[in-house]
C-alpha cells in the first residue's frame, strides 16, 4: 500500500464511524491492523511512518467528535491499539547513520546543507530548503537522534544548528 492508500483507508474508517456504519469501519480497521502487522514483519519503516501519521490523523479527528457512544468509543480504542503497535515497532528501529542522512537528494541532506552557514528556525529551514513544513519537521528528529543537529527554544521559535558531528 502507499501513503495515499493509507490516507484513503483512514478516511474510510473516520467516515464509517461518523455515519455509524460499524461493519464497514470494522472491516477497514481490520485492514489497517493487518497492514501495520505486515509493515512490522517486513521491516517497512517508511510505510510505518506513513501509517503512524494516518492513524494519528484519524484518531484525532474521531477523538474531537462529541460522540461518546459505546460503538464509537470502541473503534477509537481500536485505533489507539493500532497506533500503539505502530509506535512500538517504530521505536525499535535504530537511527539511520550520518552517511544515510547526508545522502544527496534526501530531505535530511537538504536540512544539513541549509544549516551549514549557521543556526536557523523551522520556518527559515523551510524557506532555505524549499521543503514543506512537514518534511522539515520529519527530518529534524532524525538528525537530532543521529547527533547531527541540536535544537533549542528561542521564544516562540525552535532554533536548529549543525553539531560538530555533522562536519
Amino acid at each position: 500500500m502507499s501513503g495515499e492508500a493509507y490516507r484513503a483507508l483512514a478516511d474510510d474508517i473516520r467516515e464509517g464511524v461518523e455515519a455509524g456504519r460499524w461493519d464497514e469501519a470494522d472491516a477497514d480497521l481490520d485492514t489497517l491492523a493487518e497492514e501495520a502487522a505486515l509493515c512490522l514483519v517486513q521491516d517497512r519503516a517508511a510505510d510505518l511512518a506513513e501509517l503512524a501519521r494516518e492513524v494519528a490523523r484519524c484518531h484525532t479527528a474521531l477523538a474531537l467528535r462529541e460522540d461518546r457512544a459505546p460503538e464509537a468509543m470502541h473503534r477509537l480504542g481500536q485505533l489507539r491499539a493500532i497506533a500503539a503497535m505502530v509506535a512500538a515497532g517504530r521505536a525499535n528501529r535504530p537511527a539511520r547513520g550520518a552517511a544515510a542522512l547526508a545522502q544527496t537528494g534526501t530531505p535530511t541532506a537538504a536540512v544539513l546543507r541549509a544549516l551549514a552557514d549557521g543556526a536557523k528556525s523551522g520556518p527559515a529551514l523551510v524557506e532555505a530548503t524549499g521543503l514543506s513544513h512537514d518534511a522539515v519537521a520529519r527530518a529534524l528528529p532524525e538528525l537530532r537522534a543521529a547527533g547531527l543537529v541540536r535544537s533549542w527554544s528561542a521564544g516562540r521559535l525552535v532554533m536548529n544548528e549543525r553539531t560538530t558531528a555533522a562536519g
Side-chain angles (χ1 to χ4, degrees), residues 2-24:
S2 68
E4 289 178 23
Y6 296 145
R7 177 173 285 270
L9 187 57
D11 287 343
D12 289 347
I13 292 167
R14 183 185 44 77
E15 290 166 8
V17 170
E18 288 173 349
R21 295 188 310 263
W22 307 121
D23 290 341
E24 289 176 30

Side-chain angles (χ1 to χ4, degrees), residues 2 9 19 34 37 55 68 82 85 93 95 98 112 122 124 131 151 167:
S2 68
L9 187 57
E34 289 169 6
V55 169
R68 297 294 178 236
I82 293 169
M85 177 176 61
R93 304 255 180 278
L112 284 173
L131 296 171
S151 303

Side-chain angles (χ1 to χ4, degrees), residues 38-144:
L38 277 173
C39 288
L40 289 168
V41 169
Q42 296 172 351
D43 198 27
R44 294 174 12 217
D47 287 342
L48 274 175
E50 286 289 332
L51 266 173
R53 278 189 289 282
E54 293 307 323
V55 169
R57 186 179 64 82
C58 184
H59 183 273
T60 299
L62 291 175
L64 291 174
R65 295 180 65 237
E66 306 246 344
D67 184 1
R68 297 294 178 236
E71 292 288 345
M73 295 304 291
H74 176 73
R75 277 50 181 208
L76 197 59
Q78 288 176 300
L79 273 171
R80 217 175 2 259
I82 293 169
M85 177 176 61
V86 169
R90 292 184 73 208
N92 291 326
R93 304 255 180 278
R96 290 193 295 161
L101 293 170
Q103 185 176 4
T104 302
T106 63
T108 50
V111 169
L112 284 173
R113 275 192 309 280
L115 293 173
D117 60 349
K120 289 185 176 47
S121 66
L125 282 171
V126 168
E127 185 176 323
T129 62
L131 296 171
S132 68
H133 283 87
D134 215 28
V136 170
R138 284 192 306 268
L140 286 168
E142 264 196 293
L143 292 166
R144 282 193 296 269

